[in-house]
Amino acid sequence: MAYDVIVVGSGPGGYVAAIRASQLGYKTAIVEKESLGGICLNWGCIPTKALIKSAQVLEYISHAQDYGIIAGESKADFNAVIKRSRGVADKMSKGIQFLMKKNKIEVLMGMGKLNAKKEVEVTGADGKTTAYAAKHVILATGGRARQLPNLPIDGKKIIGYREAMNMPTQPKSMIVVGSGAIGVEFAYVYNSLGTKVTIVEFMPRIVPVEDEDISKELEKVYKKKGMTIMTNASVEKVEAKGAGVVATVKTADGTVQLEADVVLSAVGVSSNIENIGLETLGIKTEKDKVTVDKYYNTNVAGVYAIGDIVPGQALAHVAMKEAVICIEAIANKEGKYHHVPEPLDYGNVPGCTYCSPEIASVGMTEKQAKEAGYEVKVGKFPFSASGKASAAGANEGFVKVVFDAKYGEWLGTHMIGANVTEIIAETVTARKLETTWAEQLDTIFPHPTMSEAVKDAIEVALGEAIHL
């Protein structure tokens, strides 16, 4: 059986590549070993947001009196929270099934692997293998939870994100190892539902990829919520003790032992590049990533790679854009698309963390800008001074902007607060259009909104603050 395009993996990169290929007139098939939508829709982006929303609703009810509302005693039905999250994920996965049918994309269920003929061999659940030929093969096999040698995930005492989303009972205590997006999101969920949470982070501060001011603010908020934060710390070993575990944690002040019901390992993501035929065809890799050019060609003609398995941010929206660029570049060469797509600017990719308060950022941090040699103007506007934030009872956090002092170039924005993930796109668009601070201040921001804090932060940077 032959196709024009076969996509291996149906996560955000894979299914978008398949749909765009079909739109451009290619006979397309997609290979998936588990569930359409990949990790993002089934075990990542979407179901975690459902869990977070349940935690937020519980917080709203718990603080109803702050809004003049009298509500009865509230508590979480843990199994119902998990059930709702799984239901949301199932609905989204069914949505991808609909899109495959709508776009006449053949779904090949099974494990996909390249063979020496550059065909894709698909091994189904019954063990039967079928080979499919295609002129173009796009690898979009995604990632999985990274495992540390001294912290092997067993699914019971030491769990990863998948187990954390589908636990049979709520733990009374949890140690979260790693404070990136996955770690702090689950820390928020379980803490809000009543679990005692301790975060252990190897780096000097939590959410270490963010601006230092963001890290300080989140740590302050999390400690206020009752979480224990341990930075410059590492889990050396975990031993079973009764129904729980004892974790030996090395800190700057010595070694301590922590007891908990469960340990959540959230130390990053590893690429799924094993057993997909890379070695068979001699496809180059470096540091757990497939080597590609700006249009996602590998060193083997007709084979491409996108998403978490290539260098760049391991984010769903990055994979989606890479997918479109990849297939449109193919189509342009073959006369099926009218122009050469613009390569992705990885320096202008927004990052969002959906803890509470949310974190959103794009571009350089203040430290990175200074290290790059810029003389900077920095403005920071707290949501405590925002009318909309005060009305919403969401005063935590701030917006921080970083500009080049000489030309007014917008170098970066860093936000922490309620719903800030919804307003970061403004900075992304402005930076894409090479907007300066002057053009932003000539733009009307609606009042009252959380988004006008961006304008206020720019005014602070220029020493022209009105509302602070």
Side-chain angles (χ1 to χ4, degrees), residues 146-168:
R146 178 170 165 250
Q147 295 199 46
L148 298 178
N150 58 330
L151 204 63
I153 295 173
D154 61 19
K156 296 179 181 179
K157 299 290 182 69
I158 304 175
I159 63 173
Y161 58 80
R162 289 184 68 133
E163 292 83 7
M165 268 184 277
N166 202 23
M167 296 188 74

Side-chain angles (χ1 to χ4, degrees), residues 78 159 167 169-174 190 193-196 260-262:
F78 184 74
I159 63 173
M167 296 188 74
T169 58
Q170 181 181 348
K172 293 181 179 179
S173 56
M174 172 184 285
Y190 277 94
L193 297 180
T195 298
K196 180 183 177 183
D261 290 343
V262 68

